[in-house]
Amino acid sequence: MVPARSVTSLPLAGFRSVRGHAAAIDLLRRAVAHDRVASTYLFAGPQGVGKDRVARALAQVMNCTQRSASPDLDACGECRPCKLIATGHHPDLLILQRELKEPPDNPEKADEKRRLRREEIPESELRPFIIIDDVRALITVMAFRPHEGGTRWVIVREAERLKTESANAFLKTLEEPPEFTHFVLLTHKPSMLLQTIRSRCQIVRFGPLEDAEVRAVLGDAGVEPAVIEHVAPYAEGSVGRALEFTDTEALARRKALVEELLGA
């Protein structure tokens, strides 16, 4: 089977490159069309269903230089901002997340590690929380205007991992957001966020993907059809969960556990 780390998604090119989540994307499209994009969103839903991809697609749409030429105001996927956001190199796309306990000495390796999906990094290598030093570093960067002259987007992955002191420091930024800056908090446990943070967010809810959508995303990512047939039944609407089982050992452990439970 294909190891999970070797799987790569199709290039990001606006909302049209996202599978599923029609209601959430329709809401965001209408916000863009009516110039009512919120300063802070909370994307709440199961892990591994594409919340991060939708957040980056929204950042693309808002920074695309060719958006006005699109009949549905979607990102072109080809202009400089679109390509930089798709590859994670846009200076105005900032990611706040749990960092490695021991970051690589080589800056290039550290940057590469940051671009991995959370499912691809063993939990043992990550800090348990987003620490206040990382929040302060983010606040320092946001003191300046966006580099590219468009909008700045801050994506907070696993927002429920903000420790109390980190959450309070982050809350102050949400109360007085810098000009041209938008925040998207991603979480599968919204109840674990401070109520004061949740109250400042426009909530966009995400549900599990349909089985056909999971299979389509896996196909987009280059997973072989035979592998898709093996892992799709374990997905439970989550591509991230399905990808965990593209690892032969992980799938074998899952099957052994199921057999043991059935035997009991």
Side-chain angles (χ1 to χ4, degrees):
M1 290 189 180
V2 180
R5 294 177 187 273
S6 68
V7 176
T8 56
S9 300
L10 284 179
L12 186 69
F15 293 135
R16 67 179 177 278
S17 64
V18 177
R19 298 274 191 179
H21 309 305
I25 289 175
D26 182 60
L27 184 153
L28 297 172
R29 283 187 186 278
R30 284 187 277 112
V32 172
H34 294 91
D35 196 24
R36 292 183 178 176
V37 176
S39 63
T40 307
Y41 285 105
L42 176 62
F43 285 6
Q47 289 179 301
V49 298
K51 300 188 297 294
D52 186 271
R53 188 172 180 86
V54 174
R56 290 181 292 117
L58 177 59
Q60 269 189 332
V61 171
M62 291 297 291
N63 285 282
C64 177
T65 60
Q66 304 300 316
R67 186 182 75 193
S68 60
S70 171
D72 56 358
L73 297 180
D74 205 348
C76 70
E78 296 296 329
C79 67
R80 169 184 160 83
C82 280
K83 288 185 175 180
L84 289 177
I85 290 172
T87 58
H89 290 93
H90 197 292
D92 297 321
L93 177 63
L94 308 177
I95 306 296
L96 180 63
Q97 62 189 9
R98 288 191 291 157
E99 298 294 343
L100 297 171
K101 292 177 181 177
E102 298 181 6
D105 296 330
N106 186 321
E108 291 185 0
K109 288 185 178 180
D111 189 53
E112 179 183 345
K113 200 80 169 180
R114 284 178 60 83
R115 299 180 201 287
L116 291 175
R117 294 181 303 106
R118 272 293 163 264
E119 295 90 342
E120 294 179 314
I121 303 177
E123 184 68 25
S124 60
E125 295 183 18
L126 293 168
R127 290 173 175 167
F129 300 102
I130 299 172
I131 62 175
I132 192 168
D133 288 346
D134 294 330
V135 175
R136 288 171 175 163
L138 174 70
I139 292 172
T140 298
V141 173
M142 291 191 300
F144 303 95
R145 291 176 65 87
H147 292 271
E148 298 285 319
T151 56
R152 175 191 290 124
W153 287 82
V154 179
I155 297 176
V156 184
R157 293 171 174 163
E158 298 179 299
E160 73 279 359
R161 296 285 187 160
L162 284 161
K163 291 189 68 174
T164 302
E165 59 178 359
S166 304
N168 286 326
F170 188 67
L171 175 61
K172 293 179 181 178
T173 301
L174 296 184
E175 290 173 341
E176 298 181 9
E179 193 175 12
F180 307 115
T181 299
H182 298 262
F183 300 87
V184 184
L185 285 65
L186 313 178
T187 182
H188 66 290
K189 295 180 179 179
S191 62
M192 291 184 65
L193 274 70
L194 293 179
Q195 173 58 33
T196 45
I197 288 181
R198 296 202 306 270
S199 67
R200 295 191 175 277
C201 300
Q202 179 174 332
I203 300 177
V204 181
R205 300 196 181 278
F206 289 72
L209 293 169
E210 298 292 337
D211 180 71
E213 292 168 342
V214 171
R215 291 171 183 269
V217 174
L218 292 173
D220 292 343
V223 179
E224 296 179 1
V227 178
I228 294 176
E229 289 302 315
H230 276 287
V231 302
Y234 302 100
E236 297 180 1
S238 167
V239 173
R241 182 178 178 83
L243 288 174
E244 290 179 8
F245 294 108
T246 57
D247 181 337
T248 307
E249 293 182 1
L251 186 59
R253 288 195 299 270
R254 167 75 180 207
K255 287 182 175 179
L257 177 61
V258 170
E259 291 174 359
E260 182 178 343
L261 291 173
L262 290 175

